[in-house]
Amino acid sequence: MTSWRDRLDTLAHQQLPAEVASAWTALARPGIRLVPGGDGPRVGRIGGAPRMPADLPWPEWPGRGPLDFVAAVDCAALPREFLSIPLPEAGTLLFFSFDGFRRGSDDEPRLEDVEGHRVLYVPAGVPVVERTAPEGPVPYPAHDLSAEVVATAPEREHILLDQTTIASGESLDEAVETVEIPGGHSESDVFGVLAAQARGGGREHQVGGFAAPVQGAVEIEIAAEVLGDHQDPRLAEEAACWVLLAQIDSDDKTDMTWGDAGMLYWLIRTDDLEAGRFDRAKCTLQCG
């Protein structure tokens, strides 16, 4: 049976020095790709109207208005044996964001605008109803989501590329400085290009695993915002505390465009995830 990581292993050993390939692929984690309108079992929905408790306030960005409902993920329906993060065994995660582009507004929430994005958790068994968005947001086209397991690995300035060394003492980042692969534009692209090739085509909606950054490592971006300084000596330690909860790609099918055809990333500290403190998740946008 083909493993989720076989393609990544093959590509890495074809195009990287053997020791580098082995060290990098050992860091790989499965990610759950969310496929709109896919053939597999339903694991959630992207767009449309959320099902949530009738008395739960619709999330708002104060001064700007109600947030747009992006997606819902059914924790119990996910292929749990491939989950790299400790999600609840049941219940639904609801993802919201203020989409200024779609509303013709210049307002786009930045990382520090914590109320411009939101994650709500609805426990299993709690009565829910389909809710209509307050005045302002026009729902995105609704599509059921199915799941595919994909291989993900650290790329584009992720701290593990600097912290993982080979026998020579070089870090993985240092070891590929002279490596060139088809599709790569510089040494910083090597792991990103291979990871993207392993995941294959399609939009990068995903739960768990490593992020597919458009720019640099999203964990470093979050850590710098938390600490208030990119030069803080605790940056790597803080970045290591954050894991990808979900990422939602720009997608013509869902009528979602994040910045310049970019991606939304929701991250959360591992201790907050284990405690179910989803209100502490942070969201950042990256685009080309």
Side-chain angles (χ1 to χ4, degrees):
M1 181 179 294
T2 301
S3 165
W4 59 269
R5 64 188 308 151
D6 285 349
R7 179 169 170 78
L8 182 72
D9 286 338
T10 299
L11 287 168
H13 283 88
Q14 285 174 344
Q15 302 190 58
L16 297 174
E19 187 181 3
V20 175
S22 295
W24 182 57
T25 56
L27 302 173
R29 300 172 185 166
I32 310 300
R33 176 174 286 180
L34 304 173
V35 183
D39 296 330
R42 183 184 182 279
V43 299
R45 172 176 279 198
I46 193 166
R51 293 183 59 79
M52 51 193 285
D55 59 351
L56 183 63
W58 190 282
E60 294 192 3
W61 186 10
R64 274 78 168 189
L67 304 188
D68 298 83
F69 170 65
V70 177
V73 174
D74 181 349
C75 295
L78 294 170
R80 300 197 64 84
E81 66 273 26
F82 296 108
L83 270 178
S84 65
I85 55 175
L87 289 183
E89 293 187 1
T92 303
L93 292 174
L94 304 174
F95 296 88
F96 293 82
S97 180
F98 187 91
D99 189 346
F101 174 81
R102 196 159 186 261
R103 301 191 203 183
S105 166
D106 291 333
D107 287 323
E108 287 287 354
R110 296 168 295 179
L111 175 54
E112 59 268 29
D113 296 318
V114 294
E115 293 183 297
H117 311 279
R118 208 76 54 83
V119 180
L120 303 180
Y121 172 62
V122 180
V126 173
V128 294
V129 296
E130 188 169 282
R131 297 278 295 274
T132 301
E135 185 177 354
V138 176
Y140 302 102
H143 297 275
D144 284 344
L145 294 168
S146 63
E148 292 179 358
V149 182
V150 295
T152 71
E155 53 178 289
R156 297 183 188 273
E157 303 172 8
H158 194 283
I159 58 171
L160 288 176
L161 299 178
D162 182 56
Q163 295 174 343
T164 304
T165 58
I166 57 176
S168 66
E170 290 181 301
S171 70
L172 289 180
D173 263 338
E174 293 169 332
V176 299
E177 286 182 355
T178 60
V179 173
E180 295 184 7
I181 61 174
H185 305 294
S186 69
E187 64 275 5
S188 64
D189 278 333
V190 169
F191 295 116
V193 170
L194 289 176
Q197 290 176 352
R199 292 191 301 271
R203 296 303 179 182
E204 303 264 24
H205 312 305
Q206 182 181 305
V207 168
F210 287 102
V214 177
Q215 299 172 346
V218 290
E219 297 84 0
I220 291 290
E221 190 175 336
I222 296 285
E225 192 274 333
V226 170
L227 297 173
D229 185 359
H230 273 274
Q231 304 304 317
D232 193 298
R234 299 168 294 171
L235 190 67
E237 179 183 359
E238 179 66 27
C241 296
W242 292 82
V243 294
L244 180 70
L245 182 58
Q247 65 186 28
I248 299 293
D249 203 351
S250 293
D251 190 344
D252 291 340
K253 188 173 187 177
T254 61
D255 199 24
M256 295 179 183
T257 302
W258 312 116
D260 184 12
M263 189 113 65
L264 285 182
Y265 306 86
W266 277 273
L267 284 86
I268 189 169
R269 290 179 65 99
T270 303
D271 57 347
D272 287 329
L273 177 55
E274 291 174 342
R277 295 188 289 259
F278 293 100
D279 59 312
R280 299 188 183 183
K282 289 182 174 288
C283 183
T284 189
L285 182 156
Q286 289 187 353
C287 55

